[in-house]
Amino acid sequence: MSSPQLAAVAPATPAPATPAPARVSFPANRLHRALCMLPLLMIGAWMAAHWHTMYAGAMRLTSADPKWLLTGLLFACLCWAAAACVRQGAVLERLPSGLLYATQFAAGAANHVLPGGLGAHAVTLRFLNRRGIPLDRGTASIALYSLTKSIATTVVTTAFLALRPHTVPYDRLLPDNPGTALAIGGAAVGVAAVVAALLLTFVHPLRRLVTDFLRTARTDVRRLHTRPARILALWGGALAFPLLQGSVVAAVGTSLHLPLPWADIILAYLAANALGALVPSPGGLGSVDAALVLTLTAFGAPAALAAATVIGYRVLTVWLPLLPGALTLTALVRKKVL
């Protein structure tokens, strides 16, 4: 066979393949590490900013009775358990109790970074989403959690006021012109209601979003209240939470020999919590502290002991669990629980 014929039968040599353009991969591992370190960095910045207050509180507590301080720490641990009960009662699905408690402990650290409980709600919402609960139902459970706690705290406060009507120093706690304060508060509520009504009337996407949210929340609330276990967890935890928080203050006050009975200290905490809620701050720090010193002093406690009690209360509920809570939050993010 001639050479031109061989060339005709021979297979053509394939052209070299053009190299594909390099794909830019998203640095997911780096982002995950950064998210793991973010809680520690934020909590570290908070601790650095409040270092002098932390040191003063620790010095004040050196003369306190350690047994009562341990009792206060036990009540603080029970507070996270009560919060976990309310979270479980606000969802239909069964959540793992150990992870739920760890999440609420970690949420306490996040709660001291953002105001109005947003940090704790964000951590919980992420946890619920990781457990397969859709975003709309998770958001509805957050709303139910907040509403239930507010109603329960109001019920507990009203019960204490009814049981101890003559021990409350209304003249020291109420402003000089209560009518003016009520008028200003009512006007603020009225303006907020009018603005909300206008937004819902003219902003159709917002109205659709709110309508869908209320429909989902109503359905879940109706189904939850057909289950006795969920009712007990939701309302039992919500009623226990303010009593446990007030018991932390009472235990610290007893350790410092504060000359007030437990019931008055808890009532002073409930009143301070109501006053501090008017000024949202990270974890209630600042607003609730000032209001608690004011209410304890109004009930008859010496100002120095009242301030030391508030500092001790913050040591047990904020500063002592702050670093372990941040480490727990970091571990939960690393394990992809959050």
Side-chain angles (χ1 to χ4, degrees), residues 27-71:
N29 291 335
R30 294 182 182 179
L31 178 61
H32 188 255
R33 292 194 191 99
L35 289 176
C36 291
M37 293 303 299
L38 184 61
L40 290 178
L41 293 175
M42 296 178 73
I43 296 301
W46 189 93
M47 293 177 68
H50 296 80
W51 175 252
H52 293 292
T53 309
M54 294 174 63
Y55 179 78
M59 290 298 100
R60 289 271 189 175
L61 292 178
T62 54
S63 60
D65 187 344
K67 294 181 181 178
W68 281 110
L69 287 181
L70 287 175
T71 304

Side-chain angles (χ1 to χ4, degrees), residues 90-169:
V91 294
L92 293 165
E93 291 80 358
R94 177 68 179 170
L95 302 173
S97 54
L99 284 180
L100 181 59
Y101 184 87
T103 302
Q104 294 311 296
F105 180 63
N111 202 37
H112 300 301
V113 179
L114 298 175
L118 294 178
H121 292 332
V123 170
T124 303
L125 190 60
R126 180 64 175 169
F127 173 67
L128 295 178
N129 187 250
R130 283 288 190 178
R131 302 303 303 180
I133 298 175
L135 183 61
D136 56 345
R137 294 189 53 240
T139 308
S141 76
I142 297 293
L144 178 60
Y145 171 89
S146 302
L147 180 62
T148 305
K149 282 188 65 178
S150 300
I151 294 174
T153 302
T154 304
V155 169
V156 171
T157 306
T158 305
F160 267 79
L161 289 174
L163 291 173
R164 305 180 68 82
H166 303 297
T167 60
V168 182

Side-chain angles (χ1 to χ4, degrees), residues 167-169 172-173 259-260 263-265 267-268 271 294-301:
T167 60
V168 182
R172 298 182 184 180
L173 294 177
L260 290 177
D264 285 358
I265 298 176
L267 184 54
L294 172 67
T295 53
L296 287 174
T297 306
F299 271 85

Side-chain angles (χ1 to χ4, degrees), residues 212-286:
D212 293 343
F213 169 77
L214 291 177
R215 187 183 299 112
T216 302
R218 183 179 58 188
T219 303
D220 275 10
V221 168
R222 186 184 298 119
R223 293 176 64 189
L224 282 168
H225 283 80
T226 61
R227 302 185 180 186
R230 294 293 183 269
I231 296 174
L232 180 61
L234 182 67
W235 291 102
L239 290 170
F241 187 82
L243 293 174
L244 292 170
Q245 285 275 319
S247 297
V248 178
V249 181
V252 174
T254 304
S255 73
L256 294 169
H257 307 290
L258 191 72
L260 290 177
W262 270 60
D264 285 358
I265 298 176
I266 294 177
L267 184 54
Y269 164 78
L270 294 171
N273 195 47
L275 293 173
L278 301 177
V279 185
S281 59
L285 296 173

Side-chain angles (χ1 to χ4, degrees), residues 198-219:
L198 290 175
L199 288 174
L200 291 176
T201 302
F202 295 105
V203 183
H204 298 290
L206 178 63
R207 184 172 61 199
R208 190 183 311 113
L209 181 66
V210 171
T211 303
D212 293 343
F213 169 77
L214 291 177
R215 187 183 299 112
T216 302
R218 183 179 58 188
T219 303

